[in-house]
Amino acid sequence: MNPEGFLEVITGPMFAGKTTELIKRIERQIFAKRKAALFKPSIDNRYSEDHVVAHNGLKYEAFVIPNNEEGVKQIYDITKREGYEVIGIDEVQFFPMSIVEVLNKLADENIYVIASGLNLDFKGDPFEVTKELLVKADNIIYLTAVCTICGAPATRTQRLINGKPAPRNSPIILVGGSEAYEARCRKHHIVP
């Protein structure tokens, strides 16, 4: 039996547990005997080429998809061809805007879609893809991390270059982990 179509978005800063939550939700659907799959953008090869991997080491096999228009089309085609009832997309902010329409369409076609992505870039501006998905979502899971400076709830991602905050004119996309980013609260998030 197909689950009802549903679009769920997991968002927050880096180190908030978004990928862990995504994997947990996919595994729960598999335990419920639903056919499920994970997708990840090819740009994200930090921990594995062919698995979605959380910062805590939890991992799950995934389809690796180019983070372009062709990749968005592949997500749709693979989901329909293989008869997946549930799909998860990690690092959704790395895909083009067309992914919003495709994920919304899949939800309309009775697929349970779970998308995980960053809320804000290192400057504190919204990622457009995530922002648009939030508007379309049936459910939003907003996670916070812990500020590395004061321990308060962190809602922002601080990019560091040689231990100092990255300048405003740095490129928006820079795939990395704890060597390049920290979770920060509003007070301690700095954009020179």
Side-chain angles (χ1 to χ4, degrees):
M1 177 176 170
N2 278 349
E4 290 185 29
F6 199 72
L7 176 56
E8 193 161 47
V9 179
I10 304 166
T11 193
M14 285 186 68
F15 312 111
K18 296 180 303 300
T19 300
T20 301
E21 184 65 26
L22 175 64
I23 292 170
K24 182 176 89 173
R25 286 173 177 274
I26 290 292
E27 287 182 332
R28 187 174 3 177
Q29 294 300 314
I30 290 169
F31 291 141
K33 308 273 191 266
R34 294 190 171 131
K35 190 171 180 182
L38 267 178
F39 295 89
K40 73 178 243 179
S42 56
I43 190 175
D44 183 10
N45 58 3
R46 289 173 291 183
Y47 303 114
S48 171
E49 292 293 332
D50 56 359
H51 286 74
V52 167
V53 183
H55 295 295
N56 66 6
L58 184 65
K59 68 181 186 174
Y60 201 90
E61 191 170 9
F63 288 100
V64 180
I65 303 296
N67 54 307
N68 56 27
E69 297 297 336
E70 179 57 33
V72 172
K73 184 178 179 321
Q74 285 179 29
I75 290 170
Y76 184 85
D77 291 347
I78 291 168
T79 300
K80 298 305 275 187
R81 182 181 67 237
E82 300 298 326
Y84 288 114
E85 299 166 287
V86 182
I87 62 165
I89 296 87
D90 197 36
E91 305 290 358
V92 73
Q93 76 278 355
F94 290 146
F95 287 98
M97 280 299 282
S98 60
I99 197 161
V100 175
E101 181 182 327
V102 166
L103 297 183
N104 200 50
K105 181 178 180 187
L106 285 167
D108 286 345
E109 294 173 358
N110 277 346
I111 308 297
Y112 177 12
V113 178
I114 311 164
S116 173
L118 287 170
N119 57 339
L120 306 171
D121 64 26
F122 78 97
K123 296 187 280 189
D125 295 329
F127 274 103
E128 288 299 312
V129 167
T130 308
K131 182 172 85 171
E132 289 302 314
L133 276 173
L134 292 172
V135 174
K136 305 273 188 195
D138 297 299
N139 188 42
I140 299 167
I141 299 149
Y142 191 93
L143 301 175
T144 58
V146 176
C147 179
T148 56
I149 304 297
C150 70
T155 57
R156 289 157 170 63
T157 303
Q158 180 73 58
R159 182 183 295 162
L160 300 171
I161 298 174
N162 297 322
K164 294 186 180 353
R168 181 170 286 280
N169 63 354
S170 298
I172 296 296
I173 304 297
L174 173 71
V175 177
S178 58
E179 79 289 348
Y181 294 98
E182 289 182 347
R184 297 275 181 98
C185 67
R186 178 182 294 271
K187 178 181 175 186
H188 291 109
H189 181 251
I190 301 165
V191 184

